[in-house]
Amino acid sequence: MPAYAAKRILLALLTIFLAVTLMFIMIRAIPGDPVSILLGPRATPELKAALIERLALDKPLYTQLFIFYRDLLHGDLGLDVFSNRSVTAIVFEQLPFTLELIFAAILWSALLGLALGLLAAARPNTRLDKALAILSTAFVAAPAFVVALLSLLLFSVHLQWLPAIGAGESGNIPDRLYHLVLPSFAIGLSWVGYIARIVRASFLEVLGEDHIRTARAFGVAERKILLSYAFRVGILPVITLLGVGMAFLLSAAVFTEIVFARPGIGQLVISSINSRNYPVVMGSVLVSSVIFVVSTTISDLVNAMLDPRIRSAL
Amino acid sequence: MTKPSRLAVVRRNLKLILGNPLGALGFGIVLLLVLVAIFADFIAPYGYADLNVRDRMQGPSPAHLLGTDQLGRDTFSRAVVGTRVALLVALPAVGGALFFGMLLGMTAALGARWLDNAIMLFLDTIRSFPTVMFALAVVALVGPSLATVVAVVMITSVPVYGRVARTQTLALVNSEFILAERTMQASFLRILFVHMLPNIFGVLAILAALDIPAVIALEAGLSFLGLGVKPPTPSWGVLLRDGYALIRSTPWLVVAGVIPVILATLGFTFFGEALRDVLDPKLRGRG
């Protein structure tokens, strides 16, 4: 296990390193002068000179790359073009809102998906199973921003049950949860479908294995078999899926934050694109990629811990 | 045993897809969308950019099946022409991702160890950006356009296809029928094109069919954010963007934009899954 963990973490670090390099290349590969692009149309000659100095654009490319990494290691993602505040501070100010949304979505969709999947696996090929399969597929197919728009229309504008705008008063927990309902519903819905399907498939596979047959032969209650014996193995794919889910949910969160005018990293990126505040755009994208790599790595590690067979795969 | 002709195989598979109610529904919707995209100019009762300020923001009526928008443009006509945009993005993007993914994946599987490692690391790196975040970074730098959307979707999907193509190739290389071909002194090119490509392509094609809904949703999403196709080109996302801005005055624009997106994602998903069940029963129920 330590060897696997070391390899997996090393791979994650390498991926992050390469992603950062790719980002650097992307910015530099854009035709035209990177300073004007990064600073946008409002750049003054002084600002330009300062940025050339800071990014060492008058130095050779490898020096620039080195400075880029050095700043990153110090947690320095550059400065906001307008306010001159540190991009790191701005991004980490917005991040909690997005994480709160993602965790809320994962929580409810994992619980409901697990329940629906177990229900289908317990009664395979019945009418209930077939209905659940169609429902899950429809959930999977529904794009988050479409669900967001429809739920906004129905529950906020039409019925006026739930708030349409913002993340709620800071410190007022019931109010914040209240503001989380619709956005987390919107991004979680397709995950209910994914999780239900994967849970069903995985449990059906496990239920066909020998140790389950033995347990049945010993007269262990079906409920206990499902929730105890099969659960340990059957749950594994869900853990992998949750790691990947972070990326999907980060993407979906962008749309949902816009639709519900919620603060968060998606809102930050979009408003920065519209105001051509490129350092903030790049900083946010980098931070979200790092979150993604870290979450897939963690899910791989947890998986390897639970299932020793995986360790030999890397 | 004689080998069935290609046409007969297609006909048999189509029959199997249509035999499954959801598959038939999906196939019907996909066929409808393709026809609408091809004949959009004949189906749309009005021009997609025709202004008619007097009749703006109307609900559905016989004259305007899905009502009109804030400039009095016929929403139904815009949704119809939007079908063309959706498919013009989805098909080349998925096709390109399939092609490059297959190329990279097969090269990785058949090439030297270091090349394999390099390609896989490259694919992992691309995969480490959340799709929408990557799309936003690219759009921010090169500006929004139809081509940007296609390129972004293609780049972010390549890793999945590459990985599958690699695994599939590795499995094939060690399979018995390829070994048999080798002992019969079949040339490398013959093995590659006659025996391996069709087997790899099948799996990737299923993946592609299942990927189309996500791509359609991504295009609509980017256009919704104002970062996809440019007005007056009517993408479904643009309809939703207009609808969102006016959500408090009229629900019809959002409803009109949502209908084709849901129809397309559901249709392609049901069709793709039926196709998977028919072509590769092993994958059934894997989700």
Side-chain angles (χ1 to χ4, degrees):
Chain A
M1 182 67 197
Y4 171 82
K7 265 192 203 163
R8 188 66 193 79
I9 291 169
L10 199 68
L11 186 69
L13 289 176
L14 193 60
T15 322
I16 291 175
F17 171 78
L18 286 172
V20 169
T21 314
L22 193 69
M23 204 79 186
F24 175 85
I25 295 170
M26 262 168 62
I27 299 172
R28 296 300 190 279
I30 303 304
D33 152 33
V35 178
S36 315
I37 291 173
L38 282 174
L39 289 176
R42 293 177 193 76
T44 60
E46 295 82 57
L47 267 176
K48 281 189 178 177
L51 190 68
I52 290 177
E53 167 84 44
R54 229 182 64 80
L55 296 177
L57 289 177
D58 46 352
K59 307 248 165 56
L61 205 63
Y62 58 85
T63 318
Q64 292 178 28
L65 192 60
F66 173 74
I67 291 173
F68 191 70
Y69 289 132
R70 191 197 58 196
D71 288 352
L72 267 185
L73 281 180
H74 289 107
D76 178 0
L77 292 167
L79 294 177
D80 182 311
V81 180
F82 304 117
S83 66
N84 245 354
R85 288 179 60 207
S86 121
V87 170
T88 317
I90 296 176
V91 171
F92 280 91
E93 219 170 75
Q94 297 298 318
L95 197 58
F97 291 104
T98 305
L99 292 180
E100 179 183 286
L101 174 61
I102 289 176
F103 286 131
I106 284 188
L107 192 69
W108 86 264
S109 61
L111 288 178
L112 186 61
L114 190 63
L116 293 182
L118 282 175
L119 208 60
R123 312 237 181 297
N125 299 323
T126 55
R127 219 174 266 170
L128 175 74
D129 179 31
K130 282 176 188 148
L132 284 176
I134 297 176
L135 198 68
S136 313
T137 308
F139 284 169
V140 169
F145 79 102
V146 169
V147 180
L149 280 170
L150 279 180
S151 51
L152 174 75
L153 186 64
L154 185 63
F155 296 109
S156 298
V157 177
H158 190 66
L159 297 170
Q160 307 203 330
W161 287 351
L162 290 156
I165 289 172
E169 216 178 301
S170 69
N172 183 347
I173 291 173
D175 191 43
R176 295 194 65 145
L177 289 175
Y178 192 47
H179 280 80
L180 264 177
V181 176
L182 280 185
S184 67
F185 169 73
I187 65 173
L189 192 64
S190 41
W191 280 87
V192 175
Y194 275 118
I195 292 172
R197 290 169 61 152
I198 205 106
V199 165
R200 177 186 180 275
S202 144
F203 274 81
L204 280 182
E205 202 176 319
V206 177
L207 286 174
E209 277 177 20
D210 289 346
H211 72 281
I212 300 293
R213 195 190 53 191
T214 311
R216 278 203 182 117
F218 273 94
V220 179
E222 196 61 26
R223 173 186 292 266
K224 180 155 190 202
I225 288 179
L226 195 65
L227 296 180
S228 169
Y229 293 82
F231 200 82
R232 275 176 226 170
V233 189
I235 200 73
L236 289 176
V238 179
I239 296 168
T240 321
L241 199 67
L242 290 181
V244 183
M246 282 296 285
F248 280 90
L249 291 171
L250 265 170
S251 289
V254 175
F255 298 114
T256 317
E257 284 170 8
I258 297 296
V259 170
F260 292 100
R262 265 181 75 85
I265 205 155
Q267 187 76 253
L268 180 70
V269 175
I270 300 296
S271 65
S272 309
I273 289 178
N274 291 333
S275 60
R276 298 181 175 276
N277 197 344
Y278 293 117
V280 177
V281 177
M282 295 303 154
S284 318
V285 173
L286 268 185
V287 170
S288 52
S289 310
V290 171
I291 293 174
F292 174 41
V293 175
V294 170
S295 64
T296 42
T297 308
I298 291 175
S299 88
D300 276 2
L301 290 177
V302 172
N303 242 331
M305 225 158 69
L306 296 173
D307 185 351
R309 282 171 298 183
I310 296 171
R311 288 175 215 166
S312 57
L314 196 79
Chain B
M1 198 180 87
T2 51
K3 204 176 151 196
S5 76
R6 195 153 287 220
L7 194 70
V9 171
V10 170
R11 201 179 295 159
R12 192 201 61 196
N13 287 341
L14 197 60
K15 215 171 177 179
L16 281 171
I17 291 175
L18 294 179
N20 163 357
L22 285 182
L25 179 68
F27 181 76
I29 295 174
V30 169
L31 194 68
L32 179 78
L33 289 173
V34 171
L35 290 177
V36 166
I38 295 172
F39 299 108
D41 299 332
F42 300 102
I43 296 168
Y46 303 85
Y48 64 79
D50 286 358
L51 305 182
N52 178 2
V53 183
R54 213 163 47 108
D55 292 338
R56 67 199 198 95
M57 285 170 65
Q58 288 189 344
S61 67
H64 300 281
L65 290 174
L66 287 173
T68 57
D69 68 5
Q70 73 280 15
L71 299 170
R73 295 175 296 194
D74 179 52
T75 310
F76 177 70
S77 303
R78 291 175 65 72
V80 164
V81 179
T83 311
R84 191 177 275 177
V85 175
L87 295 187
L88 269 180
V89 170
L91 300 180
V94 170
L98 196 159
F99 176 78
F100 288 112
M102 195 154 92
L103 200 69
L104 286 172
M106 289 179 75
T107 312
L110 299 172
R113 182 79 198 238
W114 66 266
L115 191 64
D116 184 16
N117 287 336
I119 289 176
M120 292 328 282
L121 198 59
F122 171 68
L123 294 181
D124 275 347
T125 309
I126 301 181
R127 213 178 53 106
S128 68
F129 293 103
T131 313
V132 171
M133 284 293 177
F134 182 76
L136 293 177
V138 173
V139 170
L141 291 172
V142 304
S145 76
L146 203 69
T148 313
V149 178
V150 173
V152 164
V153 173
M154 197 148 64
I155 294 170
T156 50
S157 322
V158 160
V160 180
Y161 294 90
R163 213 161 243 293
V164 174
R166 175 177 175 271
T167 318
Q168 191 71 6
T169 313
L170 283 178
L172 277 174
V173 167
N174 298 319
S175 68
E176 284 177 356
F177 83 99
I178 296 289
L179 197 69
E181 282 291 320
R182 276 212 199 114
T183 28
M184 288 189 284
Q185 313 244 307
S187 72
F188 176 71
L189 287 181
R190 184 182 159 81
I191 291 179
L192 189 65
F193 285 103
V194 178
H195 297 290
M196 295 187 57
L197 264 184
N199 278 302
I200 297 164
F201 185 79
V203 176
L204 290 187
I206 296 167
L207 211 60
L210 290 172
D211 224 12
I212 288 179
V215 173
I216 288 178
L218 185 61
E219 182 274 316
L222 286 175
S223 299
F224 170 73
L225 295 174
L227 301 168
V229 300
K230 284 270 122 186
T233 312
S235 149
W236 295 335
V238 175
L239 287 183
L240 287 170
R241 181 178 172 78
D242 293 342
Y244 175 63
L246 299 166
I247 201 165
R248 276 161 218 287
S249 355
T250 169
W252 291 114
L253 273 174
V254 168
V255 173
V258 161
I259 291 170
V261 178
I262 289 190
L263 211 58
T265 47
L266 276 184
F268 274 104
T269 304
F270 287 147
F271 176 64
E273 302 212 330
L275 189 71
R276 177 191 60 193
D277 290 351
V278 167
L279 294 182
D280 194 349
K282 268 183 300 182
L283 290 173
R284 203 171 305 197
R286 283 269 188 87

